[in-house]
Amino acid sequence: MGKTIAQKIFDAHVAEKPFADTWVLKLDRVFCHEITTPTAIVDLMEKNKDRVFDPEKIKAVIDHVTPAKDSKTALQGKILRDWAHRNCIKDFFDIGANGVCHAVFPEKGFVRPGFTVIMGDSHTCTHGAFGAFAAGVGTTDLEVGILKGVCSFKEPKTIKFVLNGTLPAGVYAKDVILYIISQIGVNGATNCVMEFTGPVIDALSMEGRMTICNMAVEAGATSGICMPDMTTVEYLWPFIKDEYASKEAALDAYRVWCSDSDAVYEKVYTYDLSNLQPLVTFGYKPDQVKTVAEMTGTRIDQVYIGSCTNGRIEDLRVAAAVLKEALSQGKHMAEGVRGILSPATPAVYKKALEEGLMSVFMDFGFCVTNPTCGACLGMSNGVLAEKEVCASTTNRNFNGRMGKGGMVHLMSPASAAAAAVAGVITNSNLYKGN
């Protein structure tokens, strides 16, 4: 009987199986940021275990509130900074070099097919886009991972999603994952791996695949995952070119991490997305989804473009295309609406400058901030007031997520940019079905 990619990764990394359904896995990467890791660091220090299993396999960043907004967040940053220095963690990204964790770590080539990755952050599932098993964990598991380089998981059960068809113009990866979550619900993949396959996935860039895997946790999944292919190799090539004779050789090596044709799944969902429309959330759950057309006219106070979901260069290009067309017609930020752009990494920021995208955003009326997670979780750089509404490219619309009493509508960068133009939720001019 064949195996899924998750099963293959578990088999290759098992350190022990203390119980029938419990696997202790060796870790290839432990990622850390300044919100969840300091608690683990302090606890390890109190236990006289201030050390790491392998400084080369630990990567750390200050990204959630950066620069620090108050004494508490400054202390969190200092704890992480001092710990990284004490333990000779060379891949520590401090102020000025830092970006949103789930964007900067892939950008640096830290994730490879077949890897096991943990982090004290629920959206660690993003990294499954590379054919890795990546999961968010709690403080205790993070401590063990830092100290021993292992983490325990239940035996993986995989749900397969076959995405057929071709996405219409103006429909993006964000719309795809919102559609899937709307179909299976926020508990539809609880304790499972969501494996994404099919022509739609094959046609997506790595950025698009990361967007889809990023929100697997919003359906309750432990991890999202895609099969490694030439798109994966092309993205990683600057980092792996000395390891393989050619891109074809790299692809051959990575094919071992593809699911077998006779693998057994918990469930298989097949969708034809050829007629998919731009989507947006309503309410306070990620599975509460309507078409943008159905939500047209819904008022907004703020537009936010950024985050580990949609703050990459591809996302900025899409949003800028909408805004540039509006500028050509003499339009600017809708009255009473404020726009915030946070490129996910310094490299994205620099590339956007080089391509003239920043001028488009600023000419339109956006405030451009440094790379940060701050607004996404309502901590800084874009917090909502009570009863305010945000059109956002982030990943969670929980009650109070971006500020107490605020409402968040999740959507693609194109839809968010269109909302900035209109002052209400509306379809982007890039969507050809409107």
Side-chain angles (χ1 to χ4, degrees):
M1 183 172 64
K3 295 183 177 181
T4 66
I5 179 174
Q7 289 171 325
K8 290 183 178 184
I9 293 172
F10 271 51
D11 285 345
H13 289 79
V14 62
E16 62 175 309
K17 292 179 65 176
F19 309 104
D21 63 343
T22 301
W23 298 57
V24 177
L25 303 183
K26 293 174 285 187
L27 299 172
D28 294 299
R29 294 287 184 265
V30 176
F31 293 154
C32 303
H33 63 56
E34 90 283 7
I35 297 299
T36 57
T37 309
T39 303
I41 292 170
V42 170
D43 193 49
L44 287 170
M45 291 173 65
E46 290 175 349
K47 295 173 179 176
N48 294 316
K49 295 183 183 297
D50 182 22
R51 55 185 182 272
V52 301
F53 81 103
D54 186 340
E56 295 291 324
K57 293 183 178 181
I58 294 179
K59 317 294 180 182
V61 64
I62 293 175
D63 66 347
H64 274 58
V65 182
T66 172
K69 66 174 184 174
D70 53 27
S71 296
K72 180 181 178 180
T73 53
L75 177 59
Q76 287 176 297
K78 177 175 170 54
I79 292 171
L80 188 69
R81 184 180 297 116
D82 292 348
W83 169 77
H85 178 72
R86 287 195 309 273
N87 288 284
C88 301
I89 297 170
K90 67 180 182 66
D91 291 318
F92 168 60
F93 301 92
D94 207 336
I95 309 299
N98 56 340
V100 175
C101 55
H102 305 309
V104 74
F105 291 153
E107 188 181 86
K108 297 293 184 181
F110 294 155
V111 186
R112 309 287 171 82
F115 270 20
T116 49
V117 182
I118 65 165
M119 186 176 194
D121 188 288
S122 56
H123 292 105
T124 307
C125 49
T126 306
H127 308 289
F130 291 84
F133 176 79
V137 298
T139 302
T140 300
D141 284 333
L142 182 61
E143 285 185 39
V144 174
I146 288 170
L147 185 65
K148 296 293 186 179
V150 297
C151 190
S152 63
F153 294 95
K154 295 295 184 182
E155 185 172 0
K157 296 179 180 180
T158 300
I159 300 174
K160 184 177 183 178
F161 295 83
V162 183
L163 308 181
N164 293 323
T166 302
L167 295 182
V171 176
Y172 300 93
K174 184 64 157 287
D175 302 302
V176 172
I177 189 60
L178 286 176
Y179 175 77
I180 291 172
I181 296 170
S182 75
Q183 296 301 298
I184 68 171
V186 292
N187 297 314
T190 299
N191 297 326
C192 292
V193 174
M194 295 174 73
E195 181 182 299
F196 302 106
T197 66
V200 168
I201 296 297
D202 294 342
L204 286 177
S205 64
M206 288 307 302
E207 288 85 353
R209 297 176 192 184
M210 282 188 269
T211 293
I212 288 177
C213 289
N214 174 271
M215 290 187 65
V217 69
E218 310 307 337
T222 302
S223 185
I225 204 163
C226 298
M227 301 301 105
D229 60 9
M230 187 54 77
T231 300
T232 318
V233 172
E234 291 283 358
Y235 186 98
L236 291 173
W237 189 245
F239 311 102
I240 64 174
K241 60 184 178 181
D242 294 332
E243 300 174 25
Y244 300 98
S246 65
K247 293 176 182 178
E248 290 71 22
L251 180 59
D252 286 342
Y254 288 158
R255 282 200 178 106
V256 70
W257 302 114
C258 290
S259 295
D260 296 326
S261 59
D262 58 343
V264 176
Y265 295 90
E266 286 295 296
K267 298 178 183 177
V268 177
Y269 294 97
T270 302
Y271 302 115
D272 187 333
L273 303 182
S274 298
N275 296 312
L276 187 64
Q277 296 184 46
L279 300 175
V280 57
T281 60
F282 66 95
Y284 297 107
K285 293 167 57 184
D287 60 357
Q288 294 179 305
V289 175
K290 293 182 179 180
T291 65
V292 171
E294 291 176 288
M295 294 284 284
T296 293
T298 303
R299 77 167 187 89
I300 61 168
D301 299 287
Q302 177 172 294
V303 173
Y304 183 78
I305 298 175
S307 85
C308 59
T309 316
N310 286 124
R312 298 176 178 85
I313 190 65
E314 180 178 280
D315 303 308
L316 272 58
R317 288 169 180 156
V318 167
V322 175
L323 302 180
K324 189 173 183 179
E325 175 65 21
L327 285 169
S328 72
Q329 299 172 13
K331 298 178 181 179
H332 294 83
M333 186 73 67
E335 185 176 354
V337 175
R338 58 190 182 271
I340 300 171
L341 167 68
S342 179
T345 71
V348 172
Y349 199 120
K350 184 177 180 181
K351 186 67 173 174
L353 281 170
E354 293 171 350
E355 295 182 9
L357 305 183
M358 289 303 193
S359 293
V360 173
F361 283 102
M362 296 180 74
D363 289 348
F364 187 80
F366 270 79
C367 167
V368 180
T369 80
N370 60 291
T372 176
C373 303
C376 179
L377 70 164
M379 294 190 74
S380 65
N381 293 50
V383 179
L384 298 177
E386 190 170 359
K387 296 184 180 179
E388 285 193 319
V389 180
C390 184
S392 180
T393 67
T394 56
N395 45 40
R396 283 193 171 147
N397 58 333
F398 298 167
N399 192 356
R401 170 71 174 179
M402 291 184 74
K404 184 179 179 180
M407 166 66 77
V408 180
H409 295 294
L410 306 179
M411 60 189 73
S412 75
S415 296
V421 177
V424 295
I425 293 176
T426 187
N427 266 330
S428 160
N429 60 298
L430 300 179
Y431 174 55
K432 304 307 180 185
N434 60 350

